[in-house]
Amino acid sequence: MKNGDRLLFSEGSRISFVGRKVACPLLCSLLVGPGCSVFSSPGAPSPELGVISVQRHEIQLTIDPTSHRMRGLDRVTIQAGRREVRAFSVTLNKALVVAWVSSEGKLLPFYPRPVPPSTELDTRHAHQVVVQLDRPARAGETLIVDFDYAGEINDPPKEPRHLRFVTPSETSGYIGPEGVYIGPETYWYPDVPDSLASYRVTATTPPGWEVIGQGGLVAHEARADVTIATWDASAPAEGLTLAAGKFVVEMRMSGDTEIATYLYPEDAGLADEYLSAAAAYLDAYAQVLGPYPFPRFSIGENFFASGLGMPSYALLGAGSIRRHYTQPYALGHEIVHSWIGNHVFNDNDGNWAEGLTTYLANYYWHELKGDLQRAREERRMMLLSYAVYVPPDQDYPVVQFKRKSDQRDNAIGYNKAAMVFHMLRREIGDDRFFAALRTLVAEYGSRRIGWRDVEALFSRVSSRDLHPFFARWINRAGAADVKPEADPDYHAFRRIPRRELHPMLNLFVTDPRRILVIPAVDSAAEPYRELAERVAKREGVALRTAGEVGAAGKDLRDTSVLLLGGPNAGLAFAWAARGLPPGVELRPDGFRVGGKDYHGSRMALLFCFRNPDDPAHVVSVFYGLSPEAVKPVAPLLFFYGWNSYLVFEDGAVIARGDEPLRPAEGATDGAKTERHLRKIRQLTHGRQNAEAYFSFDGRSLIFQSTRDGRGCYQQYVMGVDGSDVRMVSTGRGTTTCGFFLPGDRRVLYSSTHAKGPQCPPKPSARGRYLWSLEEYDIYTTTLRGEDLVRLTTAPGYDAEATIAPDGSRIVFTSVRDDDLDIYSMRLDGTDVKRLTSVPGYDGGPFFSPDSTRIVYRAHHPTDPADLARYRELLARNLVEPSRLELFVMDADGRNQRQVTRNGAANFAPSFHPDGRRIIFSSNLTPSLEGGGEGGGARPIFHLYLINDDGQGLEQVTAEGGFNSFPMFSPDGSKLVWVSDRGAKEKGEFNVFLADWAP
Ligand SMILES: [Zn+2]
């Protein structure tokens, strides 16, 4: 059984098997039948017990929730080990009384005895039943033995004890009116540890109850008096867990797999969401790992908090179900366990399945979906969790991880192990890595394997001796000795030094020195005091009142501090205020953070920063503007441990962010974060300047500008130092997309002047961002604006023209065939060839340095409604570029391939001089801060680099809210782009040039 991941899923301990003291076993009751006569005395001489394994259980189970009771009739197929067996033992819950045991038609003597102490299993509420065979079983012989037993399973789930995370409630098994949960740790059927058995269970419950089991549902009968369901799990598994409740069942097929939800009536409306999510995961991971190994996947709603993955089903607490826990780290994680952990099992040589499942679900899902920014963020979070929760002196090797009981285990057994698989993948390459995964599932299904087997398998499939790799990463503690500059995208498992982490609540949580400061007593302080008492009690944190510490911050100077309180909290805030970074303010009626002001009684803030007296520690301030703003956040405060600040409105997060590290000595912020850009020069000053592109010799630029008081763009050329600006277009109409022709004596650009001398009217966007497709045609002219030659004559839009570095052809975008597509032509406008034809927008083409390939942007609506909308806008000469993805193709239009899949507006791509990477502009990092002075949020566009296979996303710019139209100089030494950084007026953007630092 697998506990899942983050928050509810991961943060917790495993279900700990703390059984309650079981009441005296009932005497052989009416429910049980006639077996008392064969109950042998525990005092009888003990026969020598043989070694057996269980191969199959066929269980007739009756459940009575009202009385907490069950009765089982288990037909157990056992197999004798290497020696003859005369007697054997099974483990069973102490509260279950065996009525009789029989084999081959004969009753067998049996007696209970305590379980010998074991380090592996918690068997406090189990005992053993020793059974004497009627005749010896030969070595290897299989034998069928029937057990009839009954009793009460009544260990009500207890509230989890942790403060920081929601953990699964603790129970060893429960049958009651709220629901039923019985699993291997319940010992509700006679079992032998370490057996891998198949199971068939026919469960009888009261009418209206539904049982969720493993494998396939092979029979189901809902009668007036009872419901009878038969589940068959033919693939051997480590145990059998059943859940039951008064569920509404929904089912659908996904390929050959049945997907079902078992939800309480009040949540039945969520069925579709879960069924669709499960179908998407099953489909995606079947392609990665091979066919789904079970006939069915069920999602059950649990009556206590849990995130559990059993073979072929997941059991999520009602709270989780209602919070839409369909994310990769939640439902996705449990579904991946269907292959990894619940089909191929861990042996006792350490737990590799959690690391691999975490890698494939929590992390790799984002790569699969093309969300590379998110994938990078997941890698960063894995390193953060190790940095925060695993101090060097508490580290241990991955091989020692068995199961999770705290955050340190999570950081090592889940996150580090996941990063090890990431490094392994980069070491041996995608093809071999994924081939090895499919081999793992195909060869080791229904078997137990350990790290040594994993190492051998990957070595075999990759034809490499990977022992040094595994010895380094699995058998040894620690992280890679890699400098942050050498690994800006977090591909290596390295330790981020604690002092370099951005301030966050988790640094308070994990600091051995910490103090909690609570406000003076008044009615507004009540919610803080409740929180404080909880923290103090469970975490053993020292408490001070705001009055005690005073404005001098008594006792707070060499410790981490959690400062609770609102506007009336007292003088402690005066001490803390000294450490607030510039631009952050706490006021009686509001606060300012992240460049934005927040007001009003619904707002609360969690803000973390370095202790002003000792930056080795952090101060976290939880500051609410009213008790009502504090109450909904307080119980969940420690969920928000990873950010430097979070703004809450009525308890919901509306903004969050991380305080950047302090810049290194002598460096400016920009130089630190825009590491590729050196010596940034602003070439234009004021108004709108855009689309600046290099001449063939790299010494000049052509760009468009509204300078000289113009209402729309004209074309200009200038030197790369910004000198010698000269207009080259006609001054009539509007223009766009200039480009030098080979030889740099002429330029081309697109212009509307043939339609009229005025600026075309702007489209009325009504809140949406629309591009207007004017009646552009492409012209060439000399650098003096003379000898104008028209290259295109088709009606409608012809623009976005660029020229191959070898000077062979022009590529451009046109609507001539009633769709927006890319065309190429000779430099004189002849020999026009259409390169794209998929319905939707294709445009912005740019040649690779060797002129053999083209990168471009496209949006191909597949949904009929989207396509209709695209066509309707196109008919009005409009495009809504809210979603654009990058593509590459050969220069002749063949081999079109999508590069990004992030759903953002990715545009203005051009090639890096290496011909493999692409630089482009995108809003893929969502803006959480408002648009500054203007108020409302707006997207932020930055430049990014990405490999042409969609890997290796890297952010290039960090300044300003708009960065676009990047182009490398022909020799690769410089980058020109357009940005609003340093703008003096709203709507101003300028041309910038920087030296490129590789
Ligand atoms: Zn797991």
Side-chain angles (χ1 to χ4, degrees), residues 505 508 515-517 560-564 620-622 637-638:
L505 186 58
F508 167 84
I515 284 182
L516 186 63
V517 179
S560 282
V561 180
L562 174 54
L563 198 54
L564 302 177
S620 295
V621 174
F622 180 42
L637 190 68
F638 288 88

Side-chain angles (χ1 to χ4, degrees), residues 1-5 307 309 333-334 337 340 353-355 357-358 362 404 414:
M1 176 173 13
K2 311 298 157 197
N3 289 324
D5 195 52
H333 185 100
E334 304 308 339
H337 272 316
I340 307 297
E354 281 305 348
T357 300
T358 300
N362 308 32
K404 173 168 60 182
Y414 285 62

